[in-house]
Amino acid sequence: MNPSSKQDERIAKMIFGSVYPHYLTKVEKKNRTKEELHQVITWLTGFDDQKIQELINEKATFERFFEEASLHPHAELIKGVICGYRIEDIENPLTQKVRYLDKLVDELAKGRKMEKILR
């Protein structure tokens, strides 16, 4: 197993609910709201607030999280570098989806306008 497949496996097994508080803290530190965070998650995945909370409560992995998601048709327009990797060059589909979410949260925290984030 090469290092990137170990990383992909680690990401797949991560619990969404364990990462979510970090997303929330990141955006709130920059004067953005939980509602805005949920708006971004909803745009990418199609989940409403109730479904997001359900997945947190059920300790869903990112693998399950994105299996149940209806990815937005414009998600492939999310480009750039996140965690040192160019999103459009990530080969593993699940890892790419997680990085899409990471990128949207970063853009929200950086104060980007919602209409720009939600391509």
Side-chain angles (χ1 to χ4, degrees):
M1 185 180 285
N2 66 40
S4 67
S5 54
K6 276 189 177 184
Q7 175 77 354
D8 293 337
E9 188 177 312
R10 187 182 67 77
I11 289 171
K13 301 298 178 220
M14 279 188 347
I15 305 296
F16 170 72
S18 68
V19 178
Y20 175 83
H22 299 287
Y23 290 154
L24 186 57
T25 299
K26 183 176 195 165
V27 300
E28 287 180 339
K29 276 185 182 177
K30 300 293 184 166
N31 297 317
R32 300 307 284 260
T33 65
K34 178 180 179 177
E35 290 74 26
E36 289 173 309
L37 174 61
H38 281 224
Q39 186 178 355
V40 165
I41 295 170
T42 298
W43 178 87
L44 181 64
T45 64
F47 297 147
D48 61 14
D49 290 352
Q50 183 178 344
K51 182 64 175 180
I52 293 168
Q53 191 58 53
E54 181 182 306
L55 290 165
I56 291 169
N57 294 345
E58 293 175 2
K59 296 181 175 27
T61 62
F62 271 111
E63 185 172 37
R64 179 169 157 229
F65 181 86
F66 281 106
E67 279 175 1
E68 294 187 22
S70 298
L71 208 63
H72 194 281
H74 294 160
E76 74 277 353
L77 298 176
I78 302 168
K79 301 197 184 305
V81 177
I82 190 82
C83 299
Y85 295 96
R86 183 151 288 288
I87 294 172
E88 54 272 29
D89 294 340
I90 296 173
E91 292 180 14
N92 181 286
L94 176 60
T95 300
Q96 188 176 51
K97 291 172 189 173
V98 173
R99 295 306 182 202
Y100 284 160
L101 181 55
D102 291 344
K103 183 68 173 175
L104 294 178
V105 172
D106 272 5
E107 290 177 353
L108 183 63
K110 288 179 180 172
R112 196 159 191 217
K113 292 183 179 181
M114 196 59 82
E115 54 271 10
K116 297 278 187 185
I117 296 170
L118 306 182
R119 293 148 174 85

